[in-house]
Amino acid sequence: MKFIMVTGGVLSGLGKGVITSSLGLLLKQCEYKVTVVKVDPYLNVDAGTMNPFEHGEVFVLDDGTEVDLDLGNYERFLDMELSGEHNITTGKVYKAVIEKERRGDFLGATVQIIPHIVNEIIERIERAGEDTGSDITLVEMGGTVGDIESMPFLEAVREIKNKHGKENVLVVHATLVPVMGVVGEQKTKPTQHSVKELMRIGIQPDIILCRSTEPLEERPKKKISQFCNVEEEAIFTSHDVKIVHQVPLLFEEQNVTSVVEKKLNLSPRKPDLVQWKEYVARSTSPKEKIRIALVGKYTGLKDSYISHLKALTHASAALGAVPEIVWFDSEKVVRGGDINVGTDLAALEDVDGILIPGGFGFRGIEGKIETARIARTKGIPFLGICLGFQVAVIEFARHVLDLQGANSSEFDPGTVHPVIDLLPEQMDVEAKGATMRRGGQTVLIKSGTMAHDIYGTGVIRERHRHRYEVNLEYIKMIEGAGFMFSATSKDGVRMEIGELRGSAYHVGCQFHPEFLTRPNRPAPLFLRFVEEALKRKRG
Ligand code: GLN
């Protein structure tokens, strides 16, 4: 079993997720069996309780685990499905160790960070590799070298390297090489310092990946090599590129794969990147632009909607287009609005398609309902996801069925028309962590519907994350007026897809199709959405 540990220095936000995914892709395309683990040094057990505005999107795996958005990157790049075991957090580690201590597993020992916490981390990393039968396990260490929280994880890296041997464990250190405005020179000191910090805890990096705006120049490369004990051929540039999918190609141009193979004592293979290159070519030279409104409340941090953006990008690329996202803060979308105080609704009519993503809580909900009304009445292609789907149902109930005050009991517990209501099994649930209806579930699609035509099958599996759903008592009424539920859960009691009969595309889904999009295999509901938006654009 081989390991590649990716650490980060200088600052956060270097794109270690993309770096790790890219290394993984290159090795996978060499026909090695690879898997990926993300280490998050925070105390939360999982990402499910974290605010997307602070931390970016919560990604949901097939097994229902709520994880860091980097796991979405791995799944998309490597076209694989991961389990919750592949996201190790400080919370999970401590919880497990404390449970073992309570059970008496440590036989009277004093339970300590070293060895108990570190051993737990090592076991988890090894298990992720073993359980998936992988040749190579890539581990992305969240956080930055030097953080107090990361210490036990870095100690685990040091120990794994000792235990498994140098030829089986590679440390790839990602750092920043900034350019000082006045002199315009690439500065290596931050890299030198972060490598020193790593070495202080006993880790010598094998490969250094330098993030920079422009390609790394020879002089700074030599300097880094000299001061960090890494040969020049193992120092690579990871400068800014147009789209993240170019990163594996950038690495390959520099022979990253053969250096990795050499250091890990693997026989040389070449990655097959034909399809990947095709995707990159298609998406970097689009024939047209498509304007999609994204109406949500976390528009201040684009990472909050990263999977939606990927899904739109993949779908557009398949159709020779590139999406231009027009962000609308749902709290500012108000009827009779003014561009200074709210958002002029006319701006919403000026786009080719409207997307309302998932969300929680009351803020901005009326703006979303108003958005769905505009989409429906003006015939603008509309895709509502999870909360967006619920919003479409509320809007339809209010304005077509004339059920005044119709709402979700999430936002108005006393509403006379709770067209969206709590899932029955949620009635007694109070804890917030990992308690929603989550993960992959079978969805049955009725034949003769738009959804059936889109998916080309009657049985699909999609990922979920919700507490509320369409209230069965209103189904007959809603369907009678033309909004039909074209897909349900296996037992038929959960509405999974809704479509406005006769519309070009006014569709909502309770699940999250954005979690299953792939560069060369866009999510079907997104693909049709973009297709219809393109039609509208072309007139
Ligand atoms: N808040 C809604 C619910 O819990 C929608 C959730 C979501 O959009 N992920 O059902």
Side-chain angles (χ1 to χ4, degrees):
M1 214 181 355
K2 312 257 179 193
F3 300 90
I4 298 180
M5 309 290 184
V6 181
T7 57
V10 186
L11 41 74
S12 61
L14 280 177
K16 264 183 297 168
V18 172
I19 288 172
T20 309
S21 306
S22 300
L23 291 171
L25 176 81
L26 292 175
L27 293 164
K28 183 188 170 210
Q29 292 311 99
C30 287
E31 308 229 327
Y32 290 109
K33 186 154 176 23
V34 297
T35 194
V36 196
V37 173
K38 171 80 195 285
V39 164
D40 280 311
Y42 46 68
L43 270 165
N44 303 59
V45 170
D46 60 43
T49 52
M50 298 171 94
N51 183 352
F53 197 67
E54 220 175 273
H55 204 76
E57 160 192 282
V58 177
F59 191 79
V60 182
L61 299 174
D62 187 74
D63 69 6
T65 319
E66 297 162 306
V67 293
D68 186 86
L69 56 84
D70 279 319
L71 277 91
N73 254 325
Y74 309 154
E75 287 203 338
R76 288 187 290 266
F77 264 63
L78 301 175
D79 196 5
M80 64 178 355
E81 298 216 345
L82 295 166
S83 74
E85 302 291 310
H86 293 250
N87 194 189
I88 305 177
T89 65
T90 299
K92 273 187 200 164
V93 170
Y94 273 74
K95 195 166 174 258
V97 171
I98 291 170
E99 275 164 12
K100 284 183 188 167
E101 185 275 331
R102 292 289 82 186
R103 270 204 311 267
D105 292 5
F106 297 121
L107 303 171
T110 307
V111 181
Q112 294 179 298
I113 293 183
I114 302 175
H116 301 94
I117 293 293
V118 172
N119 284 351
E120 179 73 30
I121 295 169
I122 295 173
E123 274 165 32
R124 281 172 182 254
I125 291 175
E126 290 173 340
R127 208 185 313 138
E130 272 161 22
D131 289 355
T132 49
S134 300
D135 305 318
I136 304 164
T137 303
L138 291 109
V139 185
E140 179 189 347
M141 295 284 153
T144 308
V145 171
D147 293 347
I148 291 179
E149 292 95 336
S150 310
M151 286 301 189
F153 294 103
L154 291 172
E155 170 62 14
V157 170
R158 193 187 67 80
E159 290 189 24
I160 289 181
K161 198 157 181 168
N162 276 346
K163 180 175 167 189
H164 291 262
K166 260 171 87 172
E167 66 290 0
N168 294 317
V169 184
L170 208 63
V171 176
V172 176
H173 189 54
T175 73
L176 177 76
V177 177
V179 169
M180 287 304 290
V182 204
V183 268
E185 188 189 339
Q186 289 182 326
K187 306 302 270 181
T188 64
K189 198 73 86 191
T191 300
Q192 294 178 40
H193 277 290
S194 79
V195 170
K196 261 197 199 124
E197 189 64 30
L198 257 186
M199 290 176 64
R200 205 173 56 82
I201 36 186
I203 301 173
Q204 163 69 50
D206 302 290
I207 288 180
I208 298 181
L209 276 173
C210 302
R211 287 282 296 114
S212 52
T213 45
E214 297 296 325
L216 186 67
E217 287 159 18
E218 276 313 306
R219 242 171 65 96
K221 189 189 239 184
K222 280 201 162 54
K223 238 173 155 176
I224 292 172
S225 170
Q226 186 186 353
F227 289 109
C228 304
N229 315 319
V230 174
E231 59 286 19
E232 271 181 63
E233 66 152 28
I235 298 173
F236 301 104
T237 175
S238 179
H239 55 269
D240 292 350
V241 282
K242 212 164 151 193
I243 61 168
V244 290
H245 303 87
Q246 288 169 306
V247 176
L249 304 181
L250 176 64
F251 287 179
E252 196 39 29
E253 279 164 23
Q254 304 173 72
N255 290 323
V256 172
T257 319
S258 56
V259 172
V260 168
E261 285 170 338
K262 207 159 98 191
K263 286 185 180 272
L264 282 179
N265 223 354
L266 296 163
S267 49
R269 297 184 192 172
K270 274 257 158 254
D272 171 5
L273 296 169
V274 176
Q275 284 193 356
W276 197 264
K277 282 184 181 158
E278 277 168 16
Y279 175 79
V280 170
R282 231 180 312 129
S283 41
T284 46
S285 53
K287 290 193 272 297
E288 56 191 319
K289 241 189 199 162
I290 180 149
R291 300 182 79 231
I292 304 290
L294 197 148
V295 186
K297 71 177 178 186
Y298 308 119
T299 50
L301 180 70
K302 310 295 179 249
D303 265 1
S304 310
Y305 298 114
I306 181 163
S307 291
H308 292 89
L309 302 184
K310 297 293 175 196
L312 284 171
T313 307
H314 298 162
S316 303
L319 300 164
V322 65
E324 179 197 334
I325 310 296
V326 192
W327 298 89
F328 284 89
D329 179 343
S330 52
E331 283 191 278
K332 295 192 182 130
V333 180
V334 286
R335 217 187 280 210
D338 177 289
I339 207 81
N340 293 316
V341 288
T343 296
D344 188 348
L345 292 181
L348 255 183
E349 293 174 34
D350 203 28
V351 298
D352 306 314
I354 298 177
L355 173 68
I356 302 188
F360 295 84
F362 170 78
R363 271 197 311 116
I365 196 70
E366 289 302 322
K368 289 182 188 172
I369 295 171
E370 192 51 28
T371 302
R373 188 185 68 82
I374 290 170
R376 182 179 54 79
T377 54
K378 305 283 177 193
I380 306 169
F382 169 88
L383 177 58
I385 293 175
C386 205
L387 179 63
F389 165 56
Q390 298 173 357
V391 157
V393 172
I394 297 168
E395 186 281 317
F396 191 81
R398 281 192 194 174
H399 304 123
V400 179
L401 296 175
D402 205 21
L403 298 177
Q404 287 181 22
N407 214 330
S408 162
S409 47
E410 179 179 7
F411 313 123
D412 182 2
T415 173
V416 276
H417 293 297
V419 289
I420 305 295
D421 207 0
L422 202 59
L423 290 157
E425 67 268 28
Q426 289 279 329
M427 294 294 178
D428 300 319
V429 175
E430 281 189 11
K432 291 281 182 267
T435 54
M436 282 186 248
R437 177 175 183 244
R438 285 163 300 130
Q441 313 273 351
T442 300
V443 172
L444 304 181
I445 308 179
K446 295 175 189 152
S447 51
T449 60
M450 197 195 315
H452 198 281
D453 182 48
I454 289 171
Y455 277 96
T457 171
V459 189
I460 56 170
R461 187 175 171 86
E462 292 275 6
R463 298 186 188 172
H464 296 70
R465 184 172 187 250
H466 65 121
R467 271 199 184 89
Y468 293 79
E469 63 168 344
V470 178
N471 185 340
L472 292 180
E473 286 175 26
Y474 289 89
I475 303 253
K476 246 202 179 134
M477 225 195 242
I478 295 171
E479 291 202 318
F483 188 89
M484 77 171 283
F485 297 103
S486 45
T488 65
S489 56
K490 239 169 154 178
D491 55 10
V493 299
R494 306 256 126 100
M495 299 305 112
E496 293 278 12
I497 302 181
E499 53 189 63
L500 183 64
R501 226 179 299 152
S503 71
Y505 195 88
H506 191 81
V507 173
C509 52
Q510 187 58 74
F511 52 80
H512 291 266
E514 74 275 17
F515 291 146
L516 290 181
T517 181
R518 299 286 185 266
N520 285 315
R521 204 168 356 99
L525 288 178
F526 275 89
L527 187 59
R528 179 66 65 88
F529 170 55
V530 173
E531 225 176 311
E532 288 301 327
L534 276 170
K535 271 191 208 159
R536 173 181 159 88
K537 183 193 161 193
R538 291 171 190 152

